[in-house]
Amino acid sequence: MKKTSTRLADGRELIYYDLRDDTVRDAVDRRPLERTHTTSEIRRDPLLGDQVAIASHRQGRTYHPPADQCPLCPTKGDRLSEIPDSSYDVVVFENRFPSLAGDSGRCEVVCFTSDHDASFASLTEEQAGLVLDAWTDRTSELSHLPAVEQVFCFENRGEEIGVTLGHPHGQIYAYPFTTPRTALMLRSLAAHKEATGGENLFDAVLARELADERVVLESEHWVAFVPYAAHWPYEVHLYPKHRVPDLLGLDEAARSEFPQVYLELLRRFDRIFGEGEPPTPYIAAWHQAPFGTLEEFDGVTRDDFALHLELFTIRRTSGKLKFLAGSESGMSVFINDVPPERAAERLREVAS
């Protein structure tokens, strides 16, 4: 992998990740952009104890542009985009409309390919491996920023999810706090460790799932399963078999095998609802240990956390979505319409 860092016309950082070491990236952003000004602010809810990002500048962000005006496609002649070069393998750049900025963290966009009509599932294993390298590199770099406590790499796919740009891409949020969902996991880790005299909860969950009927696919270094208490109609958790706290901890064997496993999982997702159905909307989310202090979680260290990816769709059956209505949105109590065992069975049925 070759990494080349440059600056866009408004001062934002852009980084090319290339498969070839001899690739030259010297294109200049020719757009007449002024420096970006953001109003991101973190406010704490005193009753729930969580944080809310207030980012009013995002109201003006790009919204469903025509394909020939996509800002994530490479620059072609006089059609200027966020990527100055005429081609690229993988690109990461600072979001022009970030939810988090400055002392409130950082937001980045990850473009998986220059092909506007592609998807992550259509990438080659080599391309998918390069995306993993980019995620890992950004996790490392962002973790050293003074304001950053947790790094979250994710992909939103599909208009039903709320995606406003059709080009295959994901995002990275670098939070200045430990996110509520991760904090819940850490509290459960601490409680289980104390109650069992030191047993790791992630290890116990993984052992249980490996012995049950909800395993979707398994390789030498990875296992994907529908969790016992899945929140979403079709939800898969992907774990490396050797517990590591973050992407940086993956060894070469696991890294080499990841593209094959993950691409197969995504392709199965697109086949869940049968032939002729539109691509399955999904969220793919990497869960990594925070880089800040874990003192509030008694007895838990970063090494107790288990890196894993959670992949789920909001489509519950052909042509129907799972809406987060009163119980889910009002009380955070999910009601799942598809038994996890049946979801796992379906995902095994649609194997390549």
Side-chain angles (χ1 to χ4, degrees):
M1 177 191 78
K2 181 181 181 181
K3 176 182 174 183
T4 307
S5 180
T6 185
R7 292 283 172 179
L8 297 174
D10 55 9
R12 288 176 294 132
E13 185 178 19
L14 179 143
I15 306 162
Y16 294 98
Y17 293 90
D18 287 296
L19 292 167
R20 291 174 56 95
D21 289 338
D22 58 353
T23 304
V24 176
R25 299 295 185 187
D26 55 7
V28 176
D29 185 3
R30 294 180 280 133
R31 296 173 297 172
L33 297 180
E34 297 181 357
R35 284 197 167 268
T36 55
H37 298 283
T38 61
T39 57
S40 181
E41 175 189 359
I42 302 296
R43 297 185 182 181
R44 183 179 182 276
D45 185 321
L47 295 180
L48 298 180
D50 58 8
Q51 294 84 1
V52 178
I54 310 297
S56 60
H57 62 276
R58 284 174 52 79
Q59 286 281 35
R61 65 187 183 275
T62 307
Y63 187 81
H64 292 302
D68 62 356
Q69 297 177 31
C70 174
L72 305 185
C73 288
T75 289
K76 297 290 186 182
D78 292 331
R79 189 181 68 77
L80 309 179
S81 75
E82 289 279 69
I83 296 91
D85 217 324
S86 58
S87 66
Y88 63 85
D89 291 336
V90 173
V91 164
V92 177
F93 61 88
E94 289 183 77
N95 198 324
R96 193 177 179 189
F97 304 95
S99 302
L100 310 165
D103 293 339
S104 297
R106 176 158 157 155
C107 292
E108 298 182 340
V109 177
V110 184
C111 298
F112 304 140
T113 171
S114 60
D115 183 354
H116 181 86
D117 298 318
S119 67
F120 202 118
S122 70
L123 299 180
T124 66
E125 291 184 17
E126 187 179 37
Q127 289 173 313
L130 184 61
V131 176
L132 177 62
D133 289 342
W135 283 331
T136 305
D137 181 71
R138 297 315 301 152
T139 296
S140 176
E141 293 291 327
L142 292 170
S143 71
H144 290 96
L145 296 181
V148 173
E149 190 166 311
Q150 186 172 357
V151 179
F152 176 46
C153 307
F154 64 100
E155 180 192 1
N156 296 328
R157 193 265 193 116
E159 289 188 21
E160 299 96 325
I161 297 293
V163 173
T164 57
L165 296 175
H167 196 103
H169 73 288
Q171 299 180 67
I172 302 175
Y173 277 21
Y175 297 102
F177 50 80
T178 297
T179 61
R181 188 174 177 86
T182 303
L184 285 174
M185 294 184 196
L186 292 169
R187 292 190 189 101
S188 295
L189 263 177
H192 186 84
K193 193 173 187 178
E194 181 179 7
T196 60
E199 183 183 60
N200 183 279
L201 179 57
F202 282 111
D203 292 350
V205 167
L206 191 56
R208 172 184 178 179
E209 295 293 355
L210 278 167
D212 221 316
E213 60 183 312
R214 290 176 300 277
V215 171
V216 172
L217 62 88
E218 183 180 356
S219 67
E220 183 178 356
H221 301 286
W222 295 86
V223 59
F225 58 87
V226 177
Y228 171 75
H231 290 60
W232 298 93
Y234 292 92
E235 174 183 341
V236 176
H237 293 190
L238 177 63
Y239 277 71
K241 289 183 177 179
H242 173 66
R243 171 165 45 90
V244 295
D246 51 42
L247 290 166
L248 298 165
L250 290 174
D251 62 23
E252 281 306 310
R255 298 183 67 83
S256 296
E257 197 178 66
F258 170 78
Q260 177 185 356
V261 174
Y262 187 48
L263 290 173
E264 170 63 16
L265 200 55
L266 291 180
R267 290 162 187 167
R268 290 191 194 188
F269 252 62
D270 273 344
R271 293 193 290 267
I272 291 174
F273 304 105
E275 296 294 331
E277 288 290 322
T280 301
Y282 65 74
I283 293 174
W286 280 110
H287 291 262
Q288 306 191 80
F291 289 94
T293 176
L294 301 182
E295 291 178 359
E296 63 180 291
F297 309 104
D298 294 339
V300 171
T301 68
R302 290 193 79 249
D303 288 337
D304 290 322
F305 196 87
L307 167 76
H308 63 284
L309 182 141
E310 297 185 7
L311 173 69
F312 61 90
T313 179
I314 62 171
R315 188 179 293 165
R316 57 185 174 87
T317 189
S318 179
K320 297 179 181 179
L321 301 180
K322 165 64 179 176
F323 292 103
L324 300 190
S327 185
E328 292 89 354
S329 294
M331 284 290 143
S332 293
V333 178
F334 275 69
I335 301 169
N336 190 349
D337 306 294
V338 179
E341 293 73 21
R342 174 54 192 147
E345 181 182 13
R346 178 57 181 161
L347 284 161
R348 289 192 297 268
E349 290 173 351
V350 295
S352 297

